[in-house]
Amino acid sequence: MPTHESAGQGSATVDHLAPDLARTMYRHMRTARDLDTEAVALQRQGVFPAYVSVRGQEAAQVAAATALDPSRDFVFPTYREMAVALAYGVEMVGYMATHRALWHGGLYDAMESRFGAINAVVGGPVPHAVGWAVGERLRGGEGVALACFGDGASSEGDVHEAMNFAGVYGAPVVFFCQNNRWALSVPNERQVAGGSVAARAAGYGMPGVAVDGNDAGAVHRAVSEAAERARRGEGPTLVEALTYRVEPHSTSDDSARYRDEAEAERWRRHRDPVDLMRRALIEAGYAGEAELDRIDAEARARAEEIRDGVSTAPEPDGSELFTHVYRETTQELARQRRIWQEEVRL
């Protein structure tokens, strides 16, 4: 498996995947790549105040999503899971509305989608996932929670507490760490003691698996096995997908200030997950160039459709600031609303 220090030639494994599934995964990866490009452009145009790119992590995200069952499982995302949302079937205009700052957590239905609200708290989705998973087991359900986090979040107390809790109670959780090498501006070697997030799993009584995060087939296998293990009542698993963040942390970041951009370029050129998946499909005989070109064109059109939808989506009424704060309103909230209404009338 290529390490973070080596961005040499690699490959994707698809032989264990059904051809239809492999092609679907490629379609999602290609759509996510194009939508990511559109989203960065929308930020540059002032439509989005900020955006966090998923470029280079499409394989890990799409593979994890397609390894789950949307009818019973539940995903708890960070702010960088756009490709997970896309592959999981989330309504994407509503999802992308968060990046336009139309609504906290998105305009999609989190309960219907079984995909939690976008969470910008570092490590924040992980205890939420464990709490849901414990509740799912107590009610006798067969659902599994996917807890998304990055290598930087793996150093947060919330993540350690959640893993320990899940290990003690045997919660049906897949802890899914996308180790993209950079915790914003801090590299792995300066914030992950021992160099491995997966190795920490042993301390919480669960298996830890490290996989090539740019190999969609490898990630799909690891997450599928972890989900089935949880479904059988055998407890949580930690999956570490080793990948690389080729773009800055966000559109507000200048990654050239803290890393050698030549390294990112090597990953772009030699370890691009979309290119690896395309080559694997051809080599396995799952698709030819003409079919993949058609999928590329359809993916591009879909990304443009989502872009146009979120660009023209109407802004919610300002009164919605007060509608989902508490189950029952309070006197203080009512007072704040009256003040807001008076200021709006001015």
Side-chain angles (χ1 to χ4, degrees), residues 171 248 297 317:
D317 188 277

Side-chain angles (χ1 to χ4, degrees), residues 201-285:
Y204 303 114
M206 69 181 77
V209 182
V211 297
D212 182 350
N214 287 28
D215 180 345
V219 176
H220 188 276
R221 178 190 284 120
V223 175
S224 294
E225 292 175 353
E228 289 309 310
R229 181 176 180 273
R231 232 180 285 286
R232 292 193 301 267
E234 297 174 17
T237 302
L238 170 57
V239 176
E240 179 184 12
L242 299 164
T243 183
Y244 193 88
R245 196 197 77 214
V246 297
E247 295 294 317
H249 177 74
S250 73
T251 50
S252 302
D253 176 38
D254 178 7
S255 54
R257 297 177 60 188
Y258 54 80
R259 74 181 184 187
D260 181 1
E261 288 301 306
E263 181 183 43
E265 185 59 26
R266 287 194 296 272
W267 281 82
R268 283 176 178 269
R269 291 172 61 87
H270 302 300
R271 295 285 298 139
D272 184 280
V274 178
D275 291 345
L276 294 178
M277 189 63 169
R278 183 186 181 97
R279 187 162 64 240
L281 289 172
I282 293 171
E283 292 175 353

Side-chain angles (χ1 to χ4, degrees), residues 3 40 42 62 138 214 219 231 241 251 264 268 289 304 307 314:
T3 66
V40 172
L42 287 175
V62 168
L138 289 174
N214 287 28
V219 176
R231 232 180 285 286
T251 50
R268 283 176 178 269
E289 292 281 3
E304 292 172 356
R307 175 205 64 196

Side-chain angles (χ1 to χ4, degrees), residues 28 65-66 70 82-92 95 108-109 112-115 302:
H28 290 320
T66 53
M82 182 267 281
V84 181
L86 179 72
Y88 206 62
V90 177
E91 195 280 300
M92 290 305 292
Y95 173 88
Y108 63 95
D109 188 325
E112 182 180 350
S113 302
R114 303 185 72 79
F115 189 93
R302 174 63 178 142

Side-chain angles (χ1 to χ4, degrees), residues 64-74 88 114 143-144 227-228 231:
T66 53
L68 300 176
D69 180 352
S71 70
R72 51 183 174 174
D73 300 333
F74 211 111
Y88 206 62
R114 303 185 72 79
V144 172
E228 289 309 310
R231 232 180 285 286

Side-chain angles (χ1 to χ4, degrees), residues 24-262:
T24 296
M25 290 169 65
Y26 175 78
R27 180 187 297 274
H28 290 320
M29 290 168 63
R30 184 70 259 180
T31 306
R33 172 65 57 85
D34 289 337
L35 181 56
D36 190 74
T37 300
E38 295 290 354
V40 172
L42 287 175
Q43 191 279 328
R44 300 302 189 223
Q45 295 163 14
V47 178
F48 289 175
Y51 177 71
V52 287
S53 174
V54 303
R55 188 183 182 100
Q57 297 179 220
E58 295 95 344
Q61 294 198 7
V62 168
T66 53
L68 300 176
D69 180 352
S71 70
R72 51 183 174 174
D73 300 333
F74 211 111
V75 176
F76 292 83
T78 71
Y79 46 78
R80 202 188 296 272
E81 266 66 62
M82 182 267 281
V84 181
L86 179 72
Y88 206 62
V90 177
E91 195 280 300
M92 290 305 292
V93 170
Y95 173 88
M96 297 299 286
T98 301
H99 295 295
R100 197 179 140 198
L102 291 184
W103 188 260
H104 293 296
L107 292 172
Y108 63 95
D109 188 325
M111 293 301 292
E112 182 180 350
S113 302
R114 303 185 72 79
F115 189 93
I118 292 175
N119 194 327
V121 177
V122 179
V126 183
H128 295 174
V130 173
W132 180 90
V134 171
E136 177 73 355
R137 194 186 68 169
L138 289 174
R139 78 175 187 85
E142 296 182 343
V144 172
L146 184 76
C148 299
F149 62 105
D151 48 292
S154 73
S155 298
E156 293 288 330
D158 281 1
V159 173
H160 292 282
E161 292 169 16
M163 286 186 185
N164 188 63
F165 194 95
V168 168
Y169 288 96
V173 184
V174 178
F175 293 101
F176 185 57
C177 175
Q178 294 169 72
N179 185 343
N180 65 17
R181 179 66 169 83
W182 292 96
L184 210 165
S185 60
V186 182
N188 274 178
E189 57 268 22
R190 287 177 50 196
Q191 65 94 25
V192 178
S196 171
V197 176
R200 296 175 175 172
Y204 303 114
M206 69 181 77
V209 182
V211 297
D212 182 350
N214 287 28
D215 180 345
V219 176
H220 188 276
R221 178 190 284 120
V223 175
S224 294
E225 292 175 353
E228 289 309 310
R229 181 176 180 273
R231 232 180 285 286
R232 292 193 301 267
E234 297 174 17
T237 302
L238 170 57
V239 176
E240 179 184 12
L242 299 164
T243 183
Y244 193 88
R245 196 197 77 214
V246 297
E247 295 294 317
H249 177 74
S250 73
T251 50
S252 302
D253 176 38
D254 178 7
S255 54
R257 297 177 60 188
Y258 54 80
R259 74 181 184 187
D260 181 1
E261 288 301 306

